[in-house]
């Protein structure tokens, strides 16, 4: 009865071994980090498992105090397969994705010792204490890399958002459970001949079923956690920011490649230098500075420093420096041009208008004066846009009063247009006052300029603020104007006649609202006014 039961168990072992070989075949079309190593593990270990089943059937060892031959063969095949398993774990987690032949050979080299010991004993040689001791050390080495690989996979699948710990358990169960089962065969032989193959078969069935389940679900191999680790390294390598890690004394202990390439010093010198000497300021000073001047291989550059503390009990800090030299130059150019153009434009327009008023005739002086007024209005619009884009403070604004003021500012110019106003009695919001008033003025003035006879102005409360709707019954805003607004750029062949719509768009964006413009039946401008309180 015992022999028959053991035979059944070894037949199960053979079936599991063939199943592992079949898994390798099933993965032949699967791409991904570590899949080749996993296939090698499955086919080698599967063949070894099948071999242990065959040996268990045909070469039963009757001596209960000696580890059976099938278990010894199982150890050898496990030892051969544990290296590709470890390489799979390294690649799958992104630790080491491109091993060389020399590395693979060095990982396998220690297993020569137990192979030689096995061959020597089975050739009739007397046991060697040295070889037995070294074989035990190699076994510990093999178990260590198997367990270490399993821990890497478990930790990676636990932290990677697209996988679960169950995926990690499925991938790691086979090599760990089987070696533990094989290690117990000697002790189990002393208790009962049937227990050793029973534990071995159970470990194989459980581990292989878990491995198949993890692979069949698809996510475990198709979404390797290596993407996260490799991606983090890529971010550090590819960023143009200069990144330094400093200790509590301000000494630089690490830096990225961008820092090495940008600064006129070597990496070794940099790592022995205090941040104060290299950057001209320590971490405390850098926290309070908007920019810092750094001497680079391209000359002096301006950087925006960001400082992050390392740990709750500060061990040091991470310094990140972003090059803002071009941005600062651009801001300076814009500021200078803005001031010069505003001042000169206003003065020159006054000169043009004063001379036009003394000219004889009616048509040409009027045209000159009207054009000058348009240019003056354009300058005022640009100045207003600059003000609300530069303003960062918020204040309480009565939306109803702002809408009434915007209406009253233009009604005198359009006496033939009737206007209706529907807004809450109390509509106070906290927002950028300049931007809100600019948005209302642009939308209301646009409605009156295109209206045939009527303009409707309304506001209604919603969850986080108000929605303003301004509509007219005119022919609608020209498509050319809207096309420029939608594209976000004006080209020489496609541009509007002024800044009104741009002012509307930028103002709504500044207050954090959303803008829509419909021209199906007249023009309807709608934008939201979030309450920032």
């Amino acid at each position: 009865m015992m022999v028959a039961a053991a035979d059944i168990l070894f037949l199960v072992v053979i079936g599991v071994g063939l199943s592992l070989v079949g898994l390798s075949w099933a993965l032949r079309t699967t791409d991904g980090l570590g899949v080749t190593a996993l296939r090698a593990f499955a086919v080698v270990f599967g063949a070894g498992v099948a071999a242990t089943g065959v040996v268990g059937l045909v070469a039963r060892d009757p001596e209960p105090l000696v580890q059976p031959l099938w278990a010894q063969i199982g150890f050898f095949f496990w030892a051969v397969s544990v290296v590709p398993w470890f390489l799979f774990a390294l690649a799958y987690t992104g630790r080491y994705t491109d091993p060389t032949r020399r590395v693979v050979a060095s990982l396998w080299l220690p297993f020569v010792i137990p192979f030689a010991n096995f061959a020597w004993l089975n050739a009739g040689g007397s046991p060697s204490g040295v070889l037995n001791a070294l074989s035990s050390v190699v076994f510990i080495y093999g178990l260590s890399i198997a367990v270490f690989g399993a821990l890497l996979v478990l930790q990676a699948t636990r932290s990677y958002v697209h996988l679960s710990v169950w995926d990690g358990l499925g991938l790691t169960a086979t090599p760990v459970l089987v070696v533990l089962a094989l290690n117990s065969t000697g002790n189990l032989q002393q208790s009962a001949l049937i227990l050793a193959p029973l534990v071995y078969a159970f470990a194989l069935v459980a581990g292989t079923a878990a491995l198949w389940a993890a692979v069949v679900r698809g996510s475990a191999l198709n979404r390797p956690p290596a993407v996260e680790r490799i991606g983090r390294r890529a971010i550090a390598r590819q960023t143009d920011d200069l990144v330094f890690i400093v200790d509590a004394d301000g000494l630089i202990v690490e830096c990225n490649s961008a820092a090495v390439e940008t600064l006129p010093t070597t990496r070794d010198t940099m790592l022995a230098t205090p941040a104060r000497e290299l950057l001209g300021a320590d971490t405390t000073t850098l926290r309070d500075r908007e920019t810092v001047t750094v001497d680079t291989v391209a000359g002096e550059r301006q950087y925006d420093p960001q400082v992050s503390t390392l740990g709750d009990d500060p061990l040091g800090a991470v310094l990140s420096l972003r090059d803002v030299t071009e941005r600062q130059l651009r801001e300076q150019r814009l500021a200078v041009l803005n001031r010069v153009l505003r001042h000169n434009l206003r003065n020159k327009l006054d000169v043009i208008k004063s001379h036009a008023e003394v000219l004889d005739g009616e048509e040409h002086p009027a045209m000159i004066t009207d054009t000058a007024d348009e240019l003056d209005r354009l300058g005022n619009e640009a100045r207003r846009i600059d003000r609300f884009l530069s303003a960062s403070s918020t204040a309480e604004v009565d939306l109803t009063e702002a809408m009434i003021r915007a209406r009253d500012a233009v009604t005198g110019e359009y006496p033939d247009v009737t206007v209706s106003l529907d807004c809450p009695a109390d509509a106070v919001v906290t927002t950028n006052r300049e931007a809100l008033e600019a948005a209302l003025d642009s939308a209301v003035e646009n409605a009156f300029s295109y209206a045939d006879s009527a303009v409707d102005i309304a506001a209604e409360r919603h969850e986080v603020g108000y929605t303003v709707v301004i509509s007219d019954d005119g022919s609608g805003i020209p498509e050319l104007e809207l096309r420029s607004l939608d594209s976000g750029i004006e080209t020489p062949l496609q541009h509007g006649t002024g800044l009104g719509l741009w002012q509307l768009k930028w103002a709504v964006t500044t207050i954090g609202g959303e803008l829509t413009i419909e021209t199906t039946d007249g023009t309807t401008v709608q934008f939201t006014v979030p309450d920032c309180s």
Side-chain angles (χ1 to χ4, degrees):
M1 181 66 69
M2 289 294 185
V3 174
D7 290 342
I8 293 173
L9 290 174
F10 284 122
L11 287 173
V12 171
V13 168
I14 294 173
V16 173
L18 295 177
S19 173
L20 285 169
V21 175
L23 177 63
S24 177
W25 174 256
L27 292 175
R28 69 190 187 282
T29 59
T30 302
D31 296 325
L33 288 174
V35 172
T36 300
L38 183 62
R39 289 188 63 205
F41 162 76
V43 71
V44 172
F45 189 60
V49 167
T52 62
V54 172
V55 171
L57 286 174
V58 302
R60 194 72 50 78
D61 190 342
E63 177 54 60
L65 299 178
V66 178
Q67 191 174 55
L69 180 61
W70 61 264
Q72 296 180 53
I73 293 176
F75 266 125
F76 295 143
F77 274 97
W78 173 85
V80 173
S81 64
V82 76
V83 171
W85 153 253
F86 183 57
L87 294 175
F88 159 73
L90 293 177
Y92 184 69
T93 58
R95 305 275 178 167
Y96 188 41
T97 59
D98 191 22
T100 63
R101 293 181 179 179
R102 181 174 297 180
V103 169
V104 176
S106 64
L107 288 172
W108 256 323
L109 185 61
F111 293 106
V112 171
I113 296 173
F115 292 156
N117 190 36
F118 174 76
W120 171 257
L121 292 175
N122 282 275
S126 58
S128 169
V130 174
L131 283 178
N132 286 335
L134 290 176
S135 296
S136 298
V137 172
V138 172
F139 168 73
I140 295 173
Y141 157 73
L143 180 60
S144 298
I145 63 174
V147 172
F148 181 62
L151 292 176
L152 290 179
V153 173
L154 287 173
Q155 188 276 333
T157 53
R158 183 186 65 83
S159 62
Y160 190 43
V161 67
H162 297 293
L163 295 175
S164 68
V165 176
W166 293 109
D167 293 307
L169 289 173
L171 293 172
T172 58
T174 303
V176 175
L177 289 179
V178 171
V179 70
L180 294 177
L182 287 171
N183 192 45
S184 65
T185 54
N187 294 330
L188 293 174
Q189 282 286 102
Q190 299 177 34
S191 302
L193 292 175
I194 191 63
L195 286 181
L198 177 62
V199 172
Y200 180 56
F202 176 79
L204 278 173
V205 171
T208 304
L211 180 59
W212 265 101
V215 170
V216 168
R217 278 202 302 267
S219 60
L221 295 182
N222 294 335
R223 298 173 181 171
V227 175
E228 185 176 38
R229 173 174 288 274
I230 295 173
R232 289 175 180 171
R233 292 200 296 261
I235 290 175
R237 288 195 305 268
Q238 296 179 12
T239 181
D240 293 329
D241 294 354
L242 313 187
V243 181
F244 306 88
I245 298 176
V246 300
D247 62 15
D249 296 325
L251 293 175
I252 297 174
V253 298
E254 187 56 272
C255 61
N256 66 345
S257 57
V260 176
E261 295 167 0
T262 302
L263 301 181
T265 184
T266 64
R267 182 185 184 86
D268 292 339
T269 302
M270 194 182 305
L271 297 184
T273 304
R276 175 187 291 276
E277 294 183 14
L278 188 68
L279 306 176
D282 57 20
T283 55
T284 303
T285 305
L286 289 174
R287 289 180 192 275
D288 300 327
R289 284 194 181 179
E290 291 187 3
T291 59
V292 60
T293 302
V294 178
D295 186 19
T296 71
V297 293
E300 287 189 349
R301 306 286 293 180
Q302 298 293 315
Y303 287 88
D304 174 16
Q306 300 293 325
V307 182
S308 302
T309 302
L310 280 176
D312 296 331
D313 185 11
L315 300 172
V318 178
L319 308 181
S320 176
L321 276 66
R322 173 159 296 181
D323 193 336
V324 294
T325 307
E326 299 302 327
R327 187 188 74 187
Q328 282 205 319
L329 290 175
R330 184 169 61 253
E331 290 176 351
Q332 291 173 356
R333 287 196 299 268
L334 289 174
V336 171
L337 289 173
N338 187 32
R339 287 195 300 270
V340 170
L341 286 177
R342 280 188 346 217
H343 179 268
N344 289 357
L345 185 63
R346 185 184 305 112
N347 289 344
K348 298 304 181 182
L349 286 175
D350 289 340
V351 172
I352 292 173
K353 291 173 67 176
S354 64
H355 282 275
E357 290 172 354
V358 300
L359 290 176
D360 295 330
E362 296 181 358
E363 180 180 355
H364 294 297
M367 179 63 71
I368 293 173
T369 303
D370 290 344
T371 303
D373 287 338
E374 290 178 6
L375 290 174
D376 187 40
R377 185 163 54 251
L378 189 64
N380 289 332
E381 289 178 348
R383 184 163 59 253
R384 188 176 194 183
I385 290 171
D386 178 62
R387 281 203 308 268
F388 73 67
L389 287 178
S390 302
S392 58
S393 60
T394 60
E396 287 190 351
V397 183
D398 190 319
L399 178 60
T400 299
E401 289 184 1
M403 294 172 67
I404 293 173
R405 186 200 56 77
R407 178 202 62 184
D408 294 344
V410 295
T411 50
E413 300 178 25
Y414 302 92
D416 297 332
V417 177
T418 59
V419 57
S420 67
L421 182 64
D422 181 14
C423 52
D426 182 17
V428 177
V429 291
T430 301
T431 187
N432 183 317
R433 178 186 295 275
E434 287 274 357
L436 175 58
E437 292 180 349
L440 289 171
D441 288 345
S442 294
V444 171
E445 184 176 348
N446 175 81
F448 274 90
S449 64
Y450 285 105
D452 288 337
S453 60
V455 170
D456 297 321
I457 305 173
E460 61 180 16
R461 178 76 184 177
H462 62 73
E463 293 181 359
V464 293
Y466 292 86
T467 299
V468 175
V469 181
I470 301 171
S471 58
D472 64 75
D473 62 350
S475 57
I477 301 174
E479 183 181 352
L480 182 64
E481 300 268 359
L482 293 177
R483 195 180 304 143
S484 297
L485 200 67
D486 290 338
S487 65
I489 188 172
E490 295 203 4
T491 68
L493 298 178
Q494 178 180 305
H495 60 85
T497 57
L499 294 174
L501 287 180
W502 287 108
Q503 175 174 286
L504 173 61
K505 179 177 181 178
W506 291 334
V508 172
T509 301
T510 300
I511 64 177
E514 296 181 1
L515 171 67
T516 58
I517 300 176
E518 294 289 341
T519 57
T520 305
D521 184 13
T523 300
T524 299
V525 173
Q526 176 175 304
F527 62 89
T528 57
V529 184
D531 190 348
C532 300
S533 59

